[in-house]
Amino acid sequence: MKDQEIIHIIRKGKTDKAIKVLYKEYPKVRANILSSGGDEKIARQIFHDSLILLIEKVSEPSFKLTSKVSTYLYGINRFMWKNEARRRQKDPELEWKDNLILTADDLGYDKEKEEQLTQLETILDSISERCRKIFELFYFRKKSMKTIAEQLEFSSVNSAKTQKYKCMEKAIQMAADLKPTNSIQQP
Amino acid sequence: MRPELSQLEKITQYLSGDLDANQVKVFEQELANNKELNDLVSQQKDLIQAAKRKALRAEIESVAAGVAGGGSSASLFSGWVVLGGAIVVGLGITLYLTLHDDNQELKQSQLSFSEVENTIPMDSLDNSDEADSENHMKNSPEELVLEEPETVFSSVANYVEESEGVTSKYDQPLIVSQEKKNHNPSSKNGSGVVIKEKTKADRDKNESIVEVYENNAMRATYPGGNLEMKRFMVKNLRYPKSAFDKGIQAVAQCDFQITADGIIQNINPELIKMSEADGMPFNDMRILFNKKLADAFIGNATHVLRTMPLWKPAKNSAGTPVMSTQRIYFKYDLIRGCLAYQLSDDFELPISE
């Protein structure tokens, strides 16, 4: 598939197809991570995080591709693995092909924000299934509130909407509750 | 709706661009003066991003589960073996049919297949058995497991070894023998010349492998090819017992030179990683106190290299043998046993004169 096609289908929201294509890059990334001291689990995790980052980047309307998509993905993976290796406080053997070296600025990668987002993801784990479904359908699948109300059998569009904001309020509240304990633990 | 909820709604509308210009103006004015509202907006923004990520992550996981390579690479490679086998059988049958159809046609088909034939060693007959036994090897942890597509001696499928058997079954010595002699003067009965080019079908299947082979004619090779090297590794690569008992894993990287005569010299081993059984890498202290184990790993790796037979030296573009360097990684893994592999990134062209 051509790069422009990949970008096009990601923007159209058909991410699953794009992921299938991009996943072909995994063995290469995996071999690199394994040979520089990572294990299977972390390789997979890093590749998935990189995919997410790539898709988020591509979805931004301002995104312009300066290299091949696969090269870009490879660069992101290299960056992510370097980050992770630094976090583990060991000297990574980074003998990756350096055809695209990305920095945090290139990617708009903010460590604090990433941590915050990871935390929010865990919070989303603990809200009710129904809430999660609404979020997924509305924000990710870009379904209208009307379809969602029908699909999840709400009595009306309005009650679905109310439910959505209640969920949101709850999640934000949970995040706020978590914060203070964290700031105590950290120093 | 409660006022708190309608505020959330307002924010959502603002973020998704559903407000008209006037409303945006009012809202942004409010934003500038109201820190609490500002916080709420950024919280909601983050939450939405997290929700999107969550869904995306789930989607990636499900795709990963569907991709053979994502699950277990072993199954992926056996898939390749089957695929490669199928292609080769197809080729063989076509050849066979044309052979019986018309002798005139045969010559033509020979011509058209010559590209393929160049790449295929023809002389060994027991390939199907070979392929099978290779597959079994993967299951036993003591054996050499080679699965990275980057590696030289990765899967059987990469070498189109099965093809020799099939084609030679249809008995067409005409096509190759000359080619074969040129490439493999040393071994009359060796299990094959290293493949120089991939067939087109293979190329479509995996681009990254092609890179590995592009300059193969130039590189130094193990006598008899990579499959032969694999067998050698299986026989000689051993997990050092002291380290195995203590549950310690390691990766050794060995650089060495191959002279124009094919002799291995200047082996430069380096232990690039040592880790506990659970994968925790050693800290400096642990490394210092486990010098003996490190030596055991390096000792085994260099032993393997030192006992190797003469290599076929690298050649420059004029075809003269020259000195070259190679890098092989030896990975000692408690679960998967010992591995030896090369990465395509490490391949260098031989120094020309």
Side-chain angles (χ1 to χ4, degrees):
Chain A
M1 200 182 289
K2 281 199 196 110
D3 282 359
Q4 283 310 323
E5 280 177 66
I6 296 179
I7 291 175
H8 185 68
I9 55 174
I10 288 177
R11 288 194 175 157
K12 267 180 90 185
K14 287 183 189 159
T15 36
D16 53 332
K17 271 189 194 158
I19 293 168
K20 225 173 248 174
V21 175
L22 291 170
Y23 219 88
K24 288 183 184 146
E25 300 299 319
Y26 177 56
K28 203 169 158 186
V29 169
R30 175 176 163 276
N32 272 319
I33 291 180
L34 288 190
S35 72
S36 50
D39 56 25
E40 187 82 30
K41 201 175 144 199
I42 196 75
R44 179 178 273 249
Q45 208 178 324
I46 282 186
F47 187 72
H48 288 188
D49 284 349
S50 304
L51 267 182
I52 289 174
L53 210 59
L54 176 85
I55 291 172
E56 276 181 3
K57 281 268 135 196
V58 170
S59 309
E60 286 169 13
S62 59
F63 177 80
K64 277 217 174 67
L65 196 66
T66 48
S67 65
K68 272 177 71 182
V69 169
S70 56
T71 315
Y72 192 62
L73 178 62
Y74 193 72
I76 296 178
N77 269 296
R78 189 176 184 280
F79 169 81
M80 298 288 268
W81 171 236
K82 215 172 166 182
N83 249 3
E84 172 66 18
R86 205 175 292 141
R87 203 180 61 75
R88 294 171 162 200
Q89 287 174 344
K90 66 177 183 188
D91 199 15
E93 275 281 314
L94 272 191
E95 296 194 339
W96 296 37
K97 226 186 251 169
D98 296 346
N99 41 15
L100 181 66
I101 298 179
L102 296 167
T103 63
D105 284 344
D106 293 333
L107 291 169
Y109 187 91
D110 179 357
K111 213 170 162 196
E112 250 169 62
K113 189 166 180 212
E114 291 299 316
E115 271 163 26
Q116 214 175 327
L117 283 171
T118 326
Q119 201 181 41
L120 278 172
E121 274 189 69
T122 28
I123 286 171
L124 285 173
D125 271 333
S126 53
I127 60 170
S128 72
E129 178 64 39
R130 204 172 165 84
C131 285
R132 232 176 303 155
K133 200 85 205 162
I134 299 177
F135 285 154
E136 187 193 324
L137 290 173
F138 187 75
Y139 291 112
F140 185 64
R141 308 266 171 224
K142 309 244 182 328
K143 295 272 193 293
S144 72
M145 270 335 264
K146 191 164 170 278
T147 345
I148 294 173
E150 278 164 16
Q151 200 171 334
L152 300 181
E153 293 171 357
F154 280 100
S155 55
S156 72
V157 178
N158 259 339
S159 67
K161 260 188 193 164
T162 314
Q163 183 62 43
K164 190 184 105 191
Y165 294 121
K166 273 185 187 164
C167 295
M168 202 176 259
E169 191 184 32
K170 200 176 167 205
I172 289 174
Q173 185 57 46
M174 281 166 88
D177 287 349
L178 263 174
K179 273 236 170 87
T181 53
N182 257 18
S183 59
I184 291 165
Q185 276 168 4
Q186 263 178 9
Chain B
M1 256 194 255
R2 285 186 282 129
E4 294 94 342
L5 294 186
S6 17
Q7 192 178 30
L8 284 174
E9 181 173 30
K10 194 81 178 269
I11 295 170
T12 307
Q13 286 168 345
Y14 168 68
L15 287 176
S16 56
D18 286 347
L19 299 181
D20 60 43
N22 247 345
Q23 284 170 308
V24 170
K25 223 176 196 175
V26 173
F27 191 83
E28 273 171 352
Q29 224 155 41
E30 206 177 332
L31 262 184
N33 300 323
N34 191 342
K35 195 182 168 298
E36 234 169 85
L37 183 67
N38 226 325
D39 282 349
L40 264 179
V41 170
S42 65
Q43 275 166 357
Q44 191 173 120
K45 225 166 151 179
D46 286 349
L47 186 71
I48 291 171
Q49 195 178 359
K52 279 187 186 169
R53 278 193 180 190
K54 192 149 194 59
L56 191 54
R57 198 179 294 276
E59 194 160 273
I60 291 174
E61 299 285 348
S62 76
V63 171
V67 175
S72 85
S73 21
S75 69
L76 173 70
F77 280 104
S78 59
W80 283 9
V81 174
V82 171
L83 236 170
I87 291 166
V88 159
V89 167
L91 265 177
I93 290 174
T94 331
L95 269 174
Y96 181 71
L97 288 179
T98 39
L99 183 76
H100 277 245
D101 239 84
D102 191 345
N103 260 345
Q104 273 310 94
E105 235 171 65
L106 168 68
K107 271 185 190 153
Q108 284 202 329
S109 77
Q110 276 168 7
L111 278 175
S112 58
F113 278 112
S114 62
E115 191 207 0
V116 180
E117 301 298 346
N118 283 342
T119 73
I120 297 169
M122 300 285 289
D123 40 352
S124 107
L125 282 163
D126 55 345
N127 300 288
S128 45
D129 294 345
E130 232 169 66
D132 274 350
S133 69
E134 292 299 342
N135 277 341
H136 288 310
M137 272 180 201
K138 289 199 173 121
N139 296 331
S140 72
E142 261 292 89
E143 307 287 0
L144 195 65
V145 187
L146 296 158
E147 45 194 359
E148 282 85 351
E150 310 285 85
T151 63
V152 190
F153 18 21
S154 52
S155 150
V156 215
N158 295 344
Y159 302 106
V160 209
E161 294 278 332
E162 308 88 275
S163 53
E164 326 165 346
V166 179
T167 14
S168 48
K169 241 180 246 165
Y170 296 111
D171 215 325
Q172 298 177 358
L174 273 174
I175 306 166
V176 244
S177 47
Q178 204 52 42
E179 196 65 35
K180 178 188 71 193
K181 271 177 204 154
N182 287 343
H183 275 277
N184 205 3
S186 55
S187 65
K188 248 186 211 167
N189 214 9
S191 66
V193 188
V194 178
I195 294 97
K196 221 167 44 179
E197 271 179 22
K198 309 290 292 181
T199 58
K200 202 147 189 212
D202 280 333
R203 206 168 287 160
D204 292 341
K205 248 191 292 169
N206 193 335
E207 273 188 46
S208 69
I209 288 181
V210 182
E211 290 171 21
V212 182
Y213 289 98
E214 258 166 12
N215 287 303
N216 208 356
M218 311 273 290
R219 280 203 337 267
T221 47
Y222 187 87
N226 292 324
L227 208 62
E228 210 44 54
M229 168 135 78
K230 194 169 167 179
R231 247 180 244 129
F232 180 84
M233 294 286 187
V234 169
K235 219 188 271 171
N236 293 285
L237 199 59
R238 288 281 173 270
Y239 211 115
K241 190 166 185 308
S242 51
F244 188 83
D245 290 346
K246 284 187 183 159
I248 287 166
Q249 317 186 100
V251 180
Q253 165 195 309
C254 292
D255 291 353
F256 55 91
Q257 290 180 335
I258 291 162
T259 65
D261 296 321
I263 300 165
I264 294 178
Q265 63 175 27
N266 287 350
I267 301 174
N268 177 19
E270 194 188 340
L271 216 55
I272 56 176
K273 186 195 161 201
M274 270 175 102
S275 59
E276 311 282 359
D278 57 2
M280 256 303 270
F282 274 11
N283 54 28
D284 293 350
M285 197 68 139
R286 284 283 273 156
I287 291 174
L288 207 64
F289 281 108
N290 285 286
K291 199 86 182 54
K292 262 194 178 164
L293 287 179
D295 288 343
F297 281 121
I298 285 180
N300 178 261
T302 48
H303 168 79
V304 169
L305 290 177
R306 272 186 278 114
T307 49
M308 268 186 183
L310 291 188
W311 280 48
K312 283 163 73 181
K315 287 183 182 151
N316 64 12
S317 43
T320 344
V322 286
M323 180 142 83
S324 62
T325 53
Q326 290 268 330
R327 170 176 288 177
I328 295 187
Y329 295 90
F330 295 93
K331 184 173 183 184
Y332 299 89
D333 189 300
L334 284 170
I335 300 157
R336 298 197 300 170
C338 315
L339 272 99
Y341 57 88
Q342 291 186 302
L343 299 180
S344 60
D345 294 7
D346 295 329
F347 289 154
E348 292 168 30
L349 286 179
I351 322 113
S352 50
E353 267 107 328

